[in-house]
Amino acid sequence: MTAPHTFRIAAIPGDGVGKEVVAAGRAVLDALAEDSSGSSSPFAFSWEEFPWGCEYYERTGTMIDADGLERLRDFDAIYFGAVGWPTVPDHISLWGLRLKICQSFDQWANVRPVHFLPGITSPLRKADDTDLDWVVVRENSEGEYAGLGGRNLAGRGPGGEVAVQTALFTEIGCERIMRFAFDLARTRTRRKVSSVTKSNAQQYGMVLWDDVFRRVAADYPDVETESVLVDAMSAKFVLHPEDLSVVVASNLNADILSDLGSALAGSLGLAASANLNPDRRFPSMFEPVHGSAPDIAGRGLANPIGAVGSAALMLDHLDLSHQAARLHRAIEATTSASILTRDVGGTATTEDVTKALIDALNA
């Protein structure tokens, strides 16, 4: 019997529903691995869970251990839940954990598919009779989330403080995310890249973005292109989504647009994402988009589909594309059977959906 290839995965459930959906995703992944034991290419997961998050911050004053990044460095991937809790300011929780990992490990490509699942009603009427499926590629290392700036002049007294937030755009950063988007477009049925810009108002950073996009596009004559202002692209997501395939945008613009896309697909609870270090110098991180959802945490109401979809992206990254496809089919079988959580109009619990996903894998 062939010995399984074991992948070392760091699990960081984080806060709120992150704990519930990471547990669900791990159960599904372990079931998938167990099913591979009799195959010619068996695999297994070796998990190590880390307690970092807002509860950890309240106990220790830090979101992650001082040596946390060093401990994460040698894992094959990171499986992340969510970060954020009402008792900790959001900028502390986000910058102290998720962004710290993303930036330190140069996870510069954030991939967020917008996938319309069977059995889930979209608020978009066009989804009823049109095949819609696109992916948002987000520059994940600089742009509006570079963290440059500061707060000063508080000594002037009440009302006198000034805050400066600087967006950073580099030619290298723009080019590498655009080439990633073009290469992705070449793998899709519709070979098209839509660049999102705001160069009419942001005359330095976004004009550089536009210039690099035109230069990179010249190297991909087989790929259709367009450049669309972010406000017009927001409208296009609603009015003409059938014209989208790969959308590439800066850190802030892609963050907002991808959430809009997920809402149009039915719920943020469905949204998967990958924070990739394509050079593979560091581990990549996979997480659902929905956040920690304190209002439903601990009640068994969280939708695990986003976390399981993120697990499928992780399988692709680990060169287990066949298994990723099986997981996608299990997701579609589950939603087609109307085994749905409350956020998408159902009554199923997190546990119900997890069980249905595992049953679908074994069917």
Side-chain angles (χ1 to χ4, degrees), residues 79 113 270-273 286-287 304-314 327-328 331:
Y79 193 40
L270 305 170
S273 78
F286 303 84
E287 60 172 327
I305 295 292
V308 174
S310 301
L313 293 174
M314 183 170 71
L327 203 46
H328 284 302
I331 290 172

Side-chain angles (χ1 to χ4, degrees), residues 101-276:
I101 294 171
C102 286
Q103 293 199 351
S104 298
F105 287 164
D106 200 22
Q107 295 169 350
W108 51 265
N110 181 226
V111 179
R112 295 188 172 188
V114 179
H115 188 48
F116 290 72
L117 291 167
I120 293 180
T121 302
S122 164
L124 201 61
R125 285 185 299 176
K126 188 166 286 188
D128 294 341
D129 54 18
T130 307
D131 185 20
L132 301 175
D133 184 61
W134 69 94
V135 59
V136 177
V137 173
R138 170 186 176 187
E139 200 294 310
N140 209 36
S141 66
E142 49 182 50
E144 303 86 350
Y145 295 173
L148 302 179
R151 294 173 62 170
N152 303 97
L153 307 181
R156 290 179 173 179
E161 189 174 10
V162 174
V164 176
Q165 191 81 42
T166 301
L168 173 71
F169 291 89
T170 68
E171 190 168 0
I172 290 172
C174 294
E175 179 168 347
R176 67 183 183 177
I177 196 64
M178 290 170 184
R179 290 194 180 277
F180 182 94
F182 275 97
D183 289 338
L184 178 60
R186 279 179 165 171
T187 70
R188 294 174 60 84
T189 303
R190 177 84 181 271
R191 294 187 169 192
K192 180 180 180 181
V193 176
S194 303
S195 171
V196 178
T197 183
K198 193 58 180 171
S199 50
N200 58 340
Q202 295 176 293
Q203 72 271 44
Y204 304 123
M206 292 262 76
V207 169
L208 173 63
W209 176 278
D210 290 350
D211 289 345
V212 174
F213 184 73
R214 283 190 291 269
R215 176 169 60 79
V216 171
D219 291 337
Y220 296 84
D222 55 317
V223 179
E224 183 185 355
T225 64
E226 64 177 351
S227 184
V228 184
L229 295 176
V230 63
D231 36 0
M233 183 58 81
S234 299
K236 188 167 189 172
F237 265 45
V238 177
L239 300 176
H240 300 291
E242 71 281 0
D243 196 39
L244 301 172
S245 181
V246 175
V247 177
V248 64
S250 66
N251 218 328
L252 175 63
N253 290 338
D255 191 6
I256 295 170
L257 286 171
S258 60
D259 279 9
L260 172 59
S262 299
L264 293 173
S267 170
L268 288 185
L270 305 170
S273 78
N275 302 288
L276 301 176

Side-chain angles (χ1 to χ4, degrees), residues 17 28 44 64 68 98 121 123 158 164 216-217 228 230 237 258-259 271 336 339 341 349 361:
V17 300
V28 173
I64 182 174
R98 184 193 173 276
T121 302
V164 176
V216 171
V228 184
V230 63
F237 265 45
S258 60
D259 279 9
S336 292
I339 304 172
T341 46
T349 65
L361 286 174

Side-chain angles (χ1 to χ4, degrees), residues 43-117:
F43 63 94
F45 297 105
S46 174
W47 298 94
E48 184 172 349
E49 186 168 306
F50 296 90
W52 303 321
C54 288
E55 287 183 21
Y56 192 79
Y57 176 84
E58 291 179 322
R59 293 197 309 270
T60 67
T62 181
M63 293 292 296
I64 182 174
D65 291 332
D67 64 346
L69 293 174
E70 192 61 35
R71 292 164 67 187
L72 291 174
R73 183 184 297 267
D74 292 329
F75 282 89
D76 293 305
I78 303 166
Y79 193 40
F80 192 86
V83 66
W85 200 249
T87 55
V88 178
D90 286 342
H91 68 280
I92 290 177
S93 59
L94 185 64
W95 278 97
L97 187 56
R98 184 193 173 276
L99 288 180
K100 187 179 186 71
I101 294 171
C102 286
Q103 293 199 351
S104 298
F105 287 164
D106 200 22
Q107 295 169 350
W108 51 265
N110 181 226
V111 179
R112 295 188 172 188
V114 179
H115 188 48
F116 290 72
L117 291 167

